[in-house]
């Protein structure tokens, strides 16, 4: 419970858990089916617990996960979301798209350790007054069993789970001589691209001020090309700079690792950059080492440049790419997955502690947003205040909402470059959250649809999408 | 913070029995912004409404909350009352404390607490409400009917007879559709052409119907009341106005072709009239089959190899230089009546269709039975022209067969098979008719009796079961099947096999893509609601008629056509439409142009708009929600990650405010 | 440094009751506020013209407006203090403020910032130029000037707006004009005049130029949108005004009002602490960060 | 050396720390949490990470200037509003084992919050806070305190100072508050060696030598300010992504935002950290933004650290902890950028003169 709610409770003079405590449940219902179904329960004089407070929406498709969070933040002990049965939606597909959102949102809540007895989804038609009464009874019983919404826990002194180390071979090592050759190819290629006018700017890496660290550079001169570098310190996903670079030049060359190309595909699919204005330079990658050790995303990677790049640079030389061939198959045994499994094996209460402690560290510096190649909104929803979507407070109130929103906005879109986790000064394992949601999207809806022509998973739907969790 | 009036209704005892009205009133007074709080035994009564009206006027209220029954009942009532007092109707909010409270909670304390919070939430919500005015959409007073079968004909005539102009587009050279192919119609055995032809003529003569045969709808843009339709008129190479339908050209034409109107059972010439009663009564030159077609000149017929038809045509109606013509029409309503085809699928092939000439489908048999057909109504085997003695009819070929066909029932097969068997028995009294069926579905007026007539009076043998195989042996077709009632194998030597193939929508429902309306996985066009809006589509202004929507027989088709026409007429009867203003709007300054909103919108209401700088250079594309098409579901609003789309009447601010009132209660309720 | 115990809560607003309001334009409103608590009213020490206040809409937030009515002094009379502010409903707080009606409660803290040095201007001719809602920042000084007219030379008030409908203080301009030795000029941008408009038409700097005033012994006090000020300063330069003769107010975004939150800095100059009143000369010394 | 000082071994130090924890004060020290070292209130002395080098991920400023705090709360009743001030003073606290740069950062915060109009909440906490610094025996790659006038064993804002010496700690009293904190505990502690003063000075020189960065001369303040309009800012900040890691981990950044967090019944006026690198920081409701470019925003950060100083302040607001350098997602290095900007501005000036 937030301080705000605490003060509200203080205001109400409520004690901790008084005898006969009744939960407060907020029900988000659609106008056409469930609201009318609840009317039906009334006209037939059914009785059910007075625990629910109804909020009427045109459609389940209008219900943002943020509204569910808002209900919890305002002190609801439980939330019930209810709408039309699949196929009966007044707007045909509103509930089907919503079902996908809710599926992923619920998975996220579960992963973060929310007691799922507090969060329910149901289909109740306009004729199902009895079902409405039953659903409210069942949901009330479940929330009553879960008890009053707890305060953010104090995790003082808690050791936390021991996550398995990320293990894997990683890309082949590149010898010093090869690395030098590769770097020379890069510099020469970049200079040629500028000189020939094939690119007005080359987005690459150069030496930074800290040992071993390379930093981004938008090279526009021959001199800057001579400073280009490549290696284990090339941490940044330069796709993030693509749009900026294209403001400076009609065409930009972009140095990309194979793992970063997906992010670019996402940007192209979402109309943010035009493929024809980019010249992709793929380099043989030795893997990156953000803090000495090889990054988890590299452990299953061969390091070969992505064949879809326009130019492929290996120690052997420069070749034209753009074959359109598929990338090497992604490693199925992702090193992060074992860590996710370890978190999932914890009881919900411990998952809650684990994530709450991480979110408590969150400074709301929005570096995760800033480095994310797929975060490009002109104004982030976190900066909007009519209404205040995300509480501005850098505490349990705001941080939890922010981290959930961020994760939801990347569900079905995140391409796993792990930049957010790399830059997070609080070491929040955003990579695990993103990866978990990617796995959930794949598990429920099949491949995440990361090609330019495909629909993103969360704007798509199928009639037969799974819905075991819906009452 | 607005000045809100809160009016709590007792509903006699209905609310007051379980909800302590006075407490709700007192509580409402503590909600910030609540300036006036009143209660009344029956707020919906005339004095109750007057109370609200007077309070609005007297206190200058700018928002109103009515705590009473479900908004489904009296929201319109109180909105009207507010409007009477000069308040925008969308500044009225209903707190449902009857259906959702007093009627379902017996404990007065809990029920009152819930009522209080519901009222508080409604106040919070209405404080953020904005006045909304109905969206006005002008209506072009003309309808487009796509398809000139019986559905399209009926719909076009109904609308035109009501005084509204109609554009009727038919792809084939003549009106008539599948019905004009039929011999007689069940269960009355009227001659199909006899009842259809007068309607076709009415269409052609109707001053308000612009008939475009041999034409296709290429593209449709716009929205309800304001569609723009692009129609391609294919060249007939015969000037309709000059052609006298004398037939001299066809007689002279050296190029015979299978006649598709007779399902290939006869031939026609490259220049032809599909059937004698065709409307318009004019010849058409089949460009693909004309001998001139092969001469590869850029304009088609410029280099002429054969001009016999033109030579014999006295009115000089033939014009080899005719070009496809694209015309545009603005219409307010569209009726889709594109009809059906019979599906020849795997099961039909297993039954020997396409392998043995004496296996035919239902429509082919219809042509054979038709007095104007290739055999002039005599039943003859295609292979040798002999009159068949034993004829096997197989129902559900492809239908009700999820594995190898379609899962649905084609609905007409039971009836037309009975008709076929009966007509066979009439025409060839010594013949024997066998029908393999799964169930008999004869749910129509006089239908069951008709089937019984076939069974009992005409001694048609009905065998319940599926046919496993049809093969030829000694010039006879062997039909193997199982009689599931007796459990015995059945083997029938047939002279002719007639398949009741599945109906499928014409071109697998391709028209859905052109019109941007929904179709199911089989291509049948989707109605807005299966029960309550069966002839509307989700795209306002587009209506459905006939077998394009689902398999159906002639009476149902005609009934639906008239229903669709009525819907269209209703729409065209307005000079302008008033649409609910609870629609989505995009903050275009902030829109990043990812267009995921466009992908989720069920109504195609989101459009791409260009943003240009002062010099006119294209900067980017942003989304725009067309208020004339948006239904206000809000899918786009939640899809937009930046929150740049909001829904009037269900705005983010309103929802958040409402949720903010549902937290733990202040001490007022801490009793 | 005083002991922490004794430091008052700077952020604790006084509760004010809305005593009335006037709608200047469709989206600009002037509120009249009175202290809800008599004790707080008695403790209020008044303000000097040009100072601003932080106004709170509870539930929405705080917003900064100039104190727009004639300065109130504790010893000025028996009347309880009334505070006026004129604002445009444009953001979260201002829209929420506009939705409030008479009798409802807002917060106020202040006054903050420096003020117009009216005493230094004694004996001089004064020109008040307000563009759009800019007149709101000058109104307090202008009304005080009218009150003490005898101490000053000619007074010209130039109130400009894009259109007639956008002009603020329409109703009260006649009462300004009624003071002996005061001239009120109203002007709207070309195209903004409506039927029956009898004021000037033209861009405000041009209208000012046309008035052809002698710069000698004259102080120009101007407030308006950045573009207007830019061109006005060009005109003033052309007309021979020295930067020291020209005074304006800076309108940077502020939050705390007391120089702590770091938001309103123009270089090292904190607008809320060191401003908002600056001379054109001072402005020339500041980086272009406003 | 005339100061009161002792030498404590690790056991004595931890024992003292444990006593402090048991006392009336909240003791805040670096603690490893999920693998990251952050300042936390201690539950046990053993939790504290007290090393001769390295630093917590971010500064301890949040214990004086919390990330978010309510300036007052309020509740509604109809049209009436009731305001409640936050409680104060809080329980006294000790910031234990903070680095000299972090303590110097507190002195910069004092300049903001205790000058002019005193901030009541900050003042209350500051008064109740005792600062025990831990000097550094080695520099990290990002460190540059000596380049901006600081020292690895600087004494600014410290009440007590620990200096790592010979595997133990030299504890020096620097203020009355520090003396009070030691109180009776010193009874069993050993006196420092006679040459401890020189040893500390030697340590300072040794660490300073490890810091490879050029000092930022004080006169650059004027140069940088004069170069406000220099085009070099856009170039230097080209890769800034506009997050606020630099500001939030910075010991001296003090900008904040104020927002109402409220529901229908009650609310709070919340003060939360904010940063000049964020676009909305100076964005007017009208849409006008004086700092519309990332170059402009980053310039504000640099100038506010190195140029805009109140009268009488003869130091930079940057304390050289280097956290922003180590954590910047784009690898921006403020010390290099200051040097580059000054050079560019001087060159532009020279060009203009020619």
């Amino acid at each position: 419970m937030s301080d705000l709610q605490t003060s509200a409770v203080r205001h109400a003079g409520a004690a901790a858990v008084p005898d006969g405590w009744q939960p407060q449940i907020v029900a988000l219902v659609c106008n056409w089916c469930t609201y009318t179904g609840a009317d039906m329960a009334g006209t037939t004089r059914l009785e059910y617990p007075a625990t629910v407070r109804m909020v009427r929406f045109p459609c389940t498709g209008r219900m943002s996960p943020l509204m569910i969070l808002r209900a919890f933040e305002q002190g609801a002990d439980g939330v019930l979301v209810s709408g039309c049965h699949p196929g009966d939606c007044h707007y045909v597909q509103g509930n089907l798209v919503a079902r996908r959102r809710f599926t992923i949102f619920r998975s996220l809540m579960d992963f973060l350790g929310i007691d799922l007895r507090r969060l329910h989804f149901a289909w109740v038609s306009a004729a199902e007054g009895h079902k409405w009464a039953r659903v409210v009874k069942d949901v009330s019983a479940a929330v009553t069993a879960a008890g009053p919404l707890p305060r953010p826990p104090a995790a003082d002194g808690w050791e936390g789970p021991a996550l398995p180390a990320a293990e894997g071979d990683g890309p082949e090592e590149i010898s010093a001589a090869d690395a030098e050759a590769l770097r020379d190819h890069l510099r020469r290629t970049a200079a040629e691209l500028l000189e020939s006018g094939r690119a007005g700017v080359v987005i690459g890496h150069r030496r930074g001020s800290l040992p071993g660290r390379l930093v981004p550079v938008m090279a526009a001169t021959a001199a800057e090309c001579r400073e280009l570098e490549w290696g284990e310190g090339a941490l940044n996903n330069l796709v993030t700079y693509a749009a900026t670079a294209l403001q400076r030049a009609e065409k930009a060359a972009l140095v990309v690792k194979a793992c970063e190309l997906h992010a670019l595909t996402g940007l192209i699919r979402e109309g943010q950059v035009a493929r024809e204005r980019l010249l992709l330079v793929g380099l043989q990658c030795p893997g990156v080492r953000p803090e000495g050790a090889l990054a988890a995303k590299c452990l299953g990677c061969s390091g070969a440049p992505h064949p879809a790049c326009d130019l492929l640079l290996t120690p052997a030389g420069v070749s034209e790419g753009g074959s359109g061939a598929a990338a090497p198959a992604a490693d199925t045994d992702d090193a992060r997955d074992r860590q996710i499994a370890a978190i999932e094996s914890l009881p919900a209460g411990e998952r809650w502690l684990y994530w709450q402690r991480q979110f408590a560290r969150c400074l709301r510096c929005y570096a995760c947003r800033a480095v994310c190649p797929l975060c490009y909104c002109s104004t982030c929803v976190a900066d909007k205040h009519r209404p205040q979507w995300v509480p501005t407070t850098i505490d349990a109130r705001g941080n939890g909402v922010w981290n959930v929103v961020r994760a939801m906005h990347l569900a079905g879109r995140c391409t796993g470059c792990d930049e957010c986790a790399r830059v997070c000064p609080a070491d929040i394992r955003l990579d695990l959250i993103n990866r978990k949601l990617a796995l959930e999207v794949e598990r429920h809806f099949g491949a995440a649809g990361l090609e330019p022509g495909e629909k993103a998973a969360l704007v798509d739907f199928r009639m037969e999408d799974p819905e075991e969790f819906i009452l | 913070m607005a000045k809100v009036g809160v009016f709590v209704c007792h509903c006699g005892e209905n609310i007051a029995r379980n909800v302590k009205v006075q407490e709700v009133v007192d509580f409402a007074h503590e909600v910030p912004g609540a300036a006036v709080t009143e209660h009344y035994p029956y707020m919906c009564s005339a004095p109750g409404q007057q109370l609200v009206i007077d309070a609005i006027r007297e206190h200058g209220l700018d928002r109103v909350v009515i705590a009473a029954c479900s908004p489904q009942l009296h929201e319109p009532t109180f909105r009207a009352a507010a409007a009477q007092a000069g308040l925008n109707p969308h500044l009225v909010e209903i707190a449902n404390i009857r259906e959702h409270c007093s009627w379902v909670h017996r404990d007065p304390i809990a029920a009152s607490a819930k009522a209080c919070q519901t009222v508080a939430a409604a106040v919070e919500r209405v404080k953020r409400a904005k006045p909304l005015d109905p969206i006005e959409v002008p209506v072009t007073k003309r309808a487009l009917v796509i398809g000139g079968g019986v559905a399209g004909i009926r719909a076009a005539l109904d609308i035109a007879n009501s005084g509204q102009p109609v554009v009727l587009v038919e792809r084939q050279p003549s009106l008539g559709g599948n019905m004009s192919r039929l011999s007689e119609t069940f269960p009355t055995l009227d001659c199909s052409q006899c009842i259809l032809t007068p309607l076709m003529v009415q269409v052609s003569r109707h001053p308000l119907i612009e008939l475009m045969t041999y034409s296709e709808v290429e593209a449709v843009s716009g929205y309800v009341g304001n569609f723009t339709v692009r129609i391609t008129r294919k060249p007939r190479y015969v000037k309709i106005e000059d052609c006298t339908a004398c037939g001299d050209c066809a007689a002279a034409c050296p190029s015979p072709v299978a006649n598709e109107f007779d399902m290939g059972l006869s031939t026609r010439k490259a220049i032809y009239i599909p059937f004698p009663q065709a409307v318009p009564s004019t010849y058409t030159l089949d460009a693909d089959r004309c001998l001139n077609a092969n001469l590869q000149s850029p304009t088609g017929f410029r280099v002429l190899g054969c001009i016999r038809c033109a030579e014999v045509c006295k009115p000089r109606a033939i014009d080899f230089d005719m070009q496809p013509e694209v015309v545009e029409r603005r219409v307010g309503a569209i009726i889709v009546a594109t009809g059906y085809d019979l599906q020849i699928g795997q099961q039909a092939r297993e039954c020997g269709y396409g392998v043995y000439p004496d296996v035919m489908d239902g429509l082919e048999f219809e042509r054979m039975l038709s007095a104007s057909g290739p055999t002039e109504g005599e039943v003859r085997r295609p292979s040798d022209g002999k009159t068949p003695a034993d004829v096997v009819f197989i129902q559900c070929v492809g239908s009700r067969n999820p594995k190898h066909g379609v899962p649905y029932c084609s609905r007409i097969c039971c009836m037309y098979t009975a008709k076929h068997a009966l007509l066979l028995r009439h025409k060839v009294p010594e013949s024997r008719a066998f029908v393999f069926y799964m169930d008999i579905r004869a749910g129509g007026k006089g239908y069951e009796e008709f089937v019984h007539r076939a069974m009992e009076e005409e001694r048609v043998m009905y065998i319940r079961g599926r046919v496993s195989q049809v093969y030829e042996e000694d010039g006879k077709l062997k039909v193997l099947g199982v009689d599931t009632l007796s459990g015995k194998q059945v083997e029938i030597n047939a002279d002719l096999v007639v398949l009741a193939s599945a109906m499928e929508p014409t071109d697998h429902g391709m028209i859905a893509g052109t019109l941007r309306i929904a179709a199911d996985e089989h291509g049948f066009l989707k109605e807005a609601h299966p029960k309550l809006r069966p002839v509307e589509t989700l795209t306002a202004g587009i209506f459905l008629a006939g077998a394009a929507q689902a398999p159906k027989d002639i009476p149902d088709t005609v009934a639906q056509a008239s229903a669709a026409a009525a819907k269209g007429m209703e729409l065209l009867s307005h000079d302008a439409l008033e649409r609910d203003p609870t629609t989505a709007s995009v903050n275009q300054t902030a829109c990043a142009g990812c267009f995921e909103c466009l992908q989720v919108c069920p109504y195609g209401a989101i459009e791409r708009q260009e943003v240009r700088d002062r010099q006119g250079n294209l900067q980017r594309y942003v989304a725009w929600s067309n208020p004339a098409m948006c239904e206000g579901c809000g899918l786009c609003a939640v899809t937009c990650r930046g929150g740049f789309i909001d829904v009037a009447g269900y705005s983010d601010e309103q929802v958040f405010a409402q949720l903010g009132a549902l937290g733990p209660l202040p001490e007022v309720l801490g009793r | 440094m005083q002991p922490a115990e004794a430091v008052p809560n700077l952020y604790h607003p006084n509760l004010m009751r809305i005593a009335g309001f006037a709608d200047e334009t469709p989206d600009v409103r002037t509120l009249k506020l009175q202290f809800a608590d008599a004790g707080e009213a008695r403790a209020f020490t008044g303000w000097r013209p040009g100072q601003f206040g932080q106004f709170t809409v509870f539930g929405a937030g705080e917003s900064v407006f100039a104190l727009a009515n004639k300065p109130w002094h504790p010893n000025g009379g028996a009347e309880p203090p009334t505070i006026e502010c004129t604002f445009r409903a444009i953001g979260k707080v201002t829209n929420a403020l506009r939705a409030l009606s008479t009798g409802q409660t807002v917060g106020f803290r202040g006054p903050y910032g420096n003020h117009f040095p009216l005493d230094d201007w004694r004996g001089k001719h004064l020109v008040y130029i307000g563009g759009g809602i800019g007149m709101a920042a000058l109104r307090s000084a202008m009304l005080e000037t009218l009150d003490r007219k005898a101490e000053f030379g000619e007074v010209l008030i130039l109130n400009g707006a894009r259109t007639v409908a956008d002009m603020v203080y329409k109703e009260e301009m006649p009462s300004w004009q009624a003071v002996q030795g005061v001239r009120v000029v109203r002007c709207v941008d070309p195209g903004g005049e409506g039927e029956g408009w009898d004021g000037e038409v033209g861009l405000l700097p041009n209208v000012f130029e046309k008035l052809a005033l002698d710069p000698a012994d004259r102080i120009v006090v101007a407030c308006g949108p950045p573009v207007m000020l830019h061109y006005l300063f060009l005109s003033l330069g052309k007309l021979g005004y020295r930067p020291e003769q020209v005074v304006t107010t800076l309108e940077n975004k502020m939050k705390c009002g007391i120089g702590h939150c770091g938001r309103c800095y123009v270089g090292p100059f904190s607008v809320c602490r060191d401003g908002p009143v600056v001379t054109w000369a001072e402005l020339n010394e500041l980086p272009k960060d406003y | 050396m005339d100061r009161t000082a002792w030498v404590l071994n690790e056991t004595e130090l931890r024992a003292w720390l444990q006593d402090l924890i048991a006392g009336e004060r909240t003791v805040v020290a670096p603690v490893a949490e999920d693998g990251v070292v952050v300042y936390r209130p201690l539950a046990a002395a053993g939790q504290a990470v007290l090393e001769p080098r390295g630093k917590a991920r971010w500064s301890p400023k949040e214990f004086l200037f919390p990330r978010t705090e309510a300036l007052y709360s309020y509740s509604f009743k109809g049209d009436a509003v009731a305001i409640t001030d936050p409680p104060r003073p809080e329980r006294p606290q000790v910031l234990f084992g903070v680095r000299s740069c972090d303590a110097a950062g507190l002195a910069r915060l004092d300049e903001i919050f205790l000058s002019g109009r005193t901030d009541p909440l900050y003042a209350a906490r500051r008064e109740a806070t005792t600062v025990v610094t831990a000097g550094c025996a080695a520099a990290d790659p990002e460190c540059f305190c000596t380049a901006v006038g600081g020292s690895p064993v600087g004494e600014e804002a410290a009440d007590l100072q620990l200096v790592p010496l010979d595997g133990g700690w030299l504890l020096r009293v620097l203020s009355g508050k520090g003396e009070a904190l030691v109180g009776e505990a010193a009874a069993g502690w050993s006196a420092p060696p006679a040459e401890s003063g020189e040893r500390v000075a030697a340590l300072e020189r040794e660490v300073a030598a490890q810091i490879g960065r050029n000092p930022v001369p004080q006169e650059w303040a004027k140069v940088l300010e004069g170069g406000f309009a220099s085009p070099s800012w856009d170039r230097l900040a080209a890769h800034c992504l506009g997050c606020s890691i630099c500001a939030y981990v910075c010991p001296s950044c003090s900008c904040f935002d104020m927002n109402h967090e409220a529901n229908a019944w009650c609310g709070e006026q919340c003060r939360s950290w904010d940063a000049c690198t964020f676009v909305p920081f100076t964005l007017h409701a009208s849409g006008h933004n004086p700092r519309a470019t990332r170059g402009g925003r980053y310039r504000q950060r640099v100038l506010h650290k190195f140029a805009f100083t109140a009268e009488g302040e003869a130091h930079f607001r940057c304390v050289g902890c280097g956290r922003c350098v180590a954590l910047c997602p784009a690898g921006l290095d403020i010390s290099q950028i200051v040097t580059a900007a000054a050079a560019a501005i001087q060159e532009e000036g020279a060009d203009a003169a020619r």
Side-chain angles (χ1 to χ4, degrees), chain A residues 74 209 213 216-218 236 241 248 357 360-365 367 371 392-394 397 422-423 425 427, chain D residues 33-34 36 40 57-58 67-68 238-239 241 243-245 248 259 261 263 268 278 328-331 333 336:
Chain A
Q74 287 294 311
S209 69
R213 172 80 158 93
V217 62
M218 285 180 270
N236 285 73
Y241 287 99
R248 303 178 164 204
R357 184 159 79 181
R361 285 200 301 272
C362 173
L363 294 167
R364 301 286 283 288
C365 64
V371 290
T392 53
T393 58
I394 311 175
R397 268 180 275 184
R422 169 180 76 83
V423 303
D427 286 6
Chain D
E33 181 183 285
D34 298 331
V36 46
R40 285 277 179 266
R57 188 60 64 84
W58 51 77
R67 302 164 180 201
T68 288
H239 300 94
L241 291 164
C243 73
S244 68
I245 287 185
Y248 288 3
N259 276 293
E261 292 291 335
N263 63 16
E268 291 172 341
F278 285 145
C328 177
D333 181 329
Q336 286 191 338

Side-chain angles (χ1 to χ4, degrees), chain A residues 24 39 48 53 62 92 384, chain B residues 70 105 117 538 643 652 662:
Chain A
Q24 178 111 334
D39 277 358
Y48 57 80
R53 304 288 180 265
R62 177 71 188 91
V92 202
K384 297 190 72 174
Chain B
S70 170
H105 308 309
Q117 272 191 308
L538 278 162
D652 296 327
L662 293 178

Side-chain angles (χ1 to χ4, degrees), chain A residues 137-161:
Chain A
K137 276 178 204 155
D138 293 352
V139 168
S140 287
V143 179
T144 307
L149 192 72
R151 293 158 175 279
D156 287 345
W158 181 57
E159 287 291 316

